[in-house]
Amino acid sequence: MNTNSYEIIPIVLCGGSGTRLWPLSRKNFPKQFVPLIDGKSLLQLTLERVSYLSPHTRSNIICVASDDHRFLVAEAMSLAGVEASVILEPCAKNTAAAMGLAAFRAQPQDLLLFCPADHHIPDAEGFRAMVQQGCPAANAGAIVAFGVVPSFPSTAYGYIQRGLLNDDLHSSQVVHFIEKPVADKAQALILQGDVLWNSGIFLCQADVLLKALQQHAPDIFASCSQAMAGATREQAFIRPEPQALIACRSESIDYAVMEHHDKVVVVPFAGAWSDVGSWNAVADLTPSDAQGNRVDGNGLAIDASHTYIYAPDRPAVALGTNDLLIIDTPDALLVASRSHAEQVKTVVAELEVRQTPQALLHRKVSRPWGWYDSIDSGERFQVKRIAVKPGAALSLQKHHHRAEHWIVVKGTAEVTRGHETFLLTENQSTYIPIGEKHRLHNPGKTELEMIEVQSGSYLGEDDIVRLDDIYGRHFTEKIA
């Protein structure tokens, strides 16, 4: 088969909170942005994978993401070496709305490949062959689902029951979509021999999807139509009209369309695939020792069996353990039985009820200009480690309740303080009084790193009056 015979526009769906991978993944930094595989995020790997589907896909990708994650998406695009338009949702409305927004952005006959951003598919060539196999059916007006040949009776995935094979279109009619089953049901499904795991990857023409939405979910269709009709654009970012989308019903594409549509076919994929939906799935990506232990980072398993340790920073030792997950991060620790991996999301819900900050935020926070790490805090003080990318700058801002001391530990800082601008180099420092306008800029070609010591009566991130910002962020936004 000629794998370059069809032009495809990849639509990468970047939503999802990833709470089942807490504490590494959190609502403000979901799993698709976490560098999980060889230092790369799942989003970066997805962008790299889809960029080779056809000759022009590297510059034709569309991402659909939360407005809050726009700079994380932009960074992944840069690392993957692709260009993309990014549709920014003001709030999450599940896959039906996300796919509808992207379809309104495309031309009616465009072939759209909808891909979740958080899947791990190591065989890029096999993935491309699978997608091209689905193109004849998609061009004939079908919605093509891609199903993974199951390797065990999973209770974490939905299933697709397939019917007769259409040799001309290299696909089978979908008989039934099956929700995540209990263990006995999953075993029975596998024994049937006619089911596939539902990967959540779909291929169809733009107008086919929109007509299916209009038929089966007319309210979602109308909301997406109105939202994109009133959309605005700023460079790569496209913002749908917010009120239309806020009013939209939240529904998955499976419930809204696929279970009701009469022209859905499925193409099998026999390669390795994971939605990396739990810590057990992450553990399976790491080689095991003779006792079934898997260690990522600075972990040590002694007299242990079937224990997974994720410890990228400090040493973590498992002694005499069995069937455990140990996930260590700088500000939170998870120890769980492997049989309870799917219940981690209930832990996050409980932490949210208790208003525990670690449910939402990492200690280390990414920003478009770099990152900061809140390394210590106490009554009336906070210490941050700050890194600024070459050429980047924080907003011009001031604070009503705190003063700041800056100490440069690496690189060169250009400091604006009041009406003066000056340079600081390694081991030099400065003081920003309460109420003084200031900005930090890295004029060099290497990363700038500094320590910031805040002191004052209130140290919250919302004590910022932003006067100017090169990233176009709203002045009232509660970020530094």
Side-chain angles (χ1 to χ4, degrees):
M1 179 184 294
N2 179 2
T3 58
N4 290 326
S5 57
Y6 296 99
E7 189 63 37
I8 296 164
I9 298 178
I11 312 297
V12 181
L13 306 175
C14 304
S17 60
T19 54
R20 287 182 294 174
L21 292 191
W22 186 89
L24 185 62
S25 171
R26 306 189 191 180
K27 287 195 173 181
N28 284 17
F29 193 61
K31 68 172 181 176
Q32 58 267 31
F33 304 113
V34 175
L36 271 177
I37 312 294
D38 297 328
K40 295 183 178 182
S41 70
L42 294 170
L43 173 57
Q44 181 184 343
L45 291 169
T46 299
L47 291 170
E48 291 176 353
R49 184 167 59 250
V50 301
S51 68
Y52 296 106
L53 286 173
S54 55
H56 305 293
T57 50
R58 295 184 70 84
S59 57
N60 285 338
I61 299 169
I62 298 175
C63 295
V64 186
S66 165
D67 198 303
D68 292 338
H69 299 148
R70 61 195 182 279
F71 296 115
L72 295 174
V73 175
E75 182 176 15
M77 288 161 45
S78 176
L79 291 171
V82 303
E83 298 176 17
S85 299
V86 187
I87 299 174
L88 299 175
E89 298 177 296
C91 54
K93 292 296 181 179
N94 218 315
T95 51
M99 292 168 65
L101 294 173
F104 273 110
R105 177 70 186 166
Q107 296 299 313
Q109 302 306 310
D110 285 344
L111 269 184
L112 307 182
L113 178 70
F114 297 96
C115 295
D118 55 0
H119 290 182
H120 180 51
I121 305 174
D123 184 1
E125 186 56 41
F127 173 79
R128 182 167 66 165
M130 173 197 77
V131 173
Q132 290 292 334
Q133 184 179 336
C135 287
N139 275 329
I143 298 177
V144 181
F146 295 98
V148 178
V149 177
S151 54
F152 64 96
S154 173
T155 60
Y157 304 139
Y159 288 74
I160 300 173
Q161 184 180 3
R162 53 179 170 171
L164 295 176
L165 173 67
N166 185 323
D167 290 324
D168 292 335
L169 297 180
H170 311 293
S171 59
S172 302
Q173 191 71 26
V174 170
V175 175
H176 188 45
F177 283 89
I178 303 166
E179 272 301 295
K180 297 176 183 178
V182 297
D184 291 348
K185 176 65 173 176
Q187 183 68 48
L189 288 172
I190 294 293
L191 293 175
Q192 285 179 202
D194 61 351
V195 297
L196 303 167
W197 287 337
N198 184 1
S199 71
I201 303 171
F202 301 98
L203 177 72
C204 63
Q205 293 178 336
D207 63 340
V208 168
L209 179 72
L210 290 177
K211 288 175 182 177
L213 268 176
Q214 190 173 30
Q215 177 184 355
H216 303 294
D219 57 327
I220 296 177
F221 172 89
S223 293
C224 292
S225 175
Q226 183 181 348
M228 291 306 287
T232 59
R233 179 159 191 160
E234 179 184 344
Q235 298 178 333
F237 298 133
I238 300 167
R239 285 187 168 86
E241 196 284 315
Q243 293 307 315
L245 202 58
I246 290 170
C248 183
R249 171 166 56 98
S250 179
E251 190 78 274
S252 73
I253 195 67
D254 289 18
Y255 284 139
V257 171
M258 300 302 171
E259 293 185 353
H260 313 291
H261 200 55
D262 61 356
K263 200 170 184 183
V264 182
V265 302
V266 63
V267 169
F269 178 59
W273 169 88
S274 172
D275 73 345
V276 199
S278 72
W279 277 112
N280 282 333
V282 175
D284 289 342
L285 302 178
T286 304
S288 68
D289 64 15
Q291 289 72 44
N293 300 308
R294 302 170 189 265
V295 176
D296 189 344
N298 295 318
L300 180 61
I302 300 175
D303 293 333
S305 63
H306 303 290
T307 293
Y308 173 68
I309 306 173
Y310 177 88
D313 300 309
R314 59 188 176 182
V317 180
L319 176 61
T321 60
N322 181 51
D323 288 328
L324 278 190
L325 300 164
I326 301 172
I327 316 301
D328 189 37
T329 68
D331 62 346
L333 170 68
L334 171 70
V335 179
S337 167
R338 295 197 63 159
S339 64
H340 286 63
E342 295 293 331
Q343 295 170 245
V344 172
K345 60 184 178 182
T346 64
V347 173
V348 179
E350 177 62 25
L351 292 174
E352 286 190 63
V353 170
R354 299 186 182 198
Q355 298 185 329
T356 304
Q358 287 85 349
L360 302 175
L361 296 169
H362 278 280
R363 199 184 81 174
K364 184 176 179 180
V365 179
S366 294
R367 290 291 176 248
W369 41 261
W371 53 263
Y372 70 82
D373 186 359
S374 300
I375 57 179
D376 195 12
S377 63
E379 186 176 357
R380 297 182 63 86
F381 83 91
Q382 181 168 228
V383 182
K384 289 183 176 181
R385 183 179 165 205
I386 295 175
V388 184
K389 300 173 184 176
L394 283 68
S395 60
L396 181 66
Q397 58 185 250
K398 63 181 180 180
H399 313 291
H400 291 304
H401 304 287
R402 73 175 186 246
E404 296 176 347
H405 295 256
W406 293 351
I407 305 101
V408 175
V409 296
K410 186 176 71 174
T412 300
E414 181 186 86
V415 178
T416 298
R417 184 181 63 190
H419 298 292
E420 58 178 332
T421 299
F422 53 92
L423 295 178
L424 294 178
T425 57
E426 187 174 325
N427 295 323
Q428 294 183 322
S429 63
T430 191
Y431 169 67
I432 310 295
I434 293 175
E436 185 70 271
K437 68 177 182 180
H438 58 278
R439 168 175 265 162
L440 179 65
H441 170 232
N442 181 359
K445 297 185 182 298
T446 60
E447 188 175 66
L448 162 66
E449 189 171 321
M450 54 170 276
I451 300 297
E452 176 182 272
V453 181
Q454 303 174 357
S455 60
S457 60
Y458 179 72
L459 306 173
E461 287 300 311
D462 52 348
D463 179 23
I464 296 175
V465 179
R466 186 172 284 119
L467 306 171
D468 181 52
D469 184 59
I470 64 175
Y471 303 103
R473 295 172 293 175
H474 300 301
F475 295 162
T476 56
E477 199 171 8
K478 294 183 180 181
I479 54 179

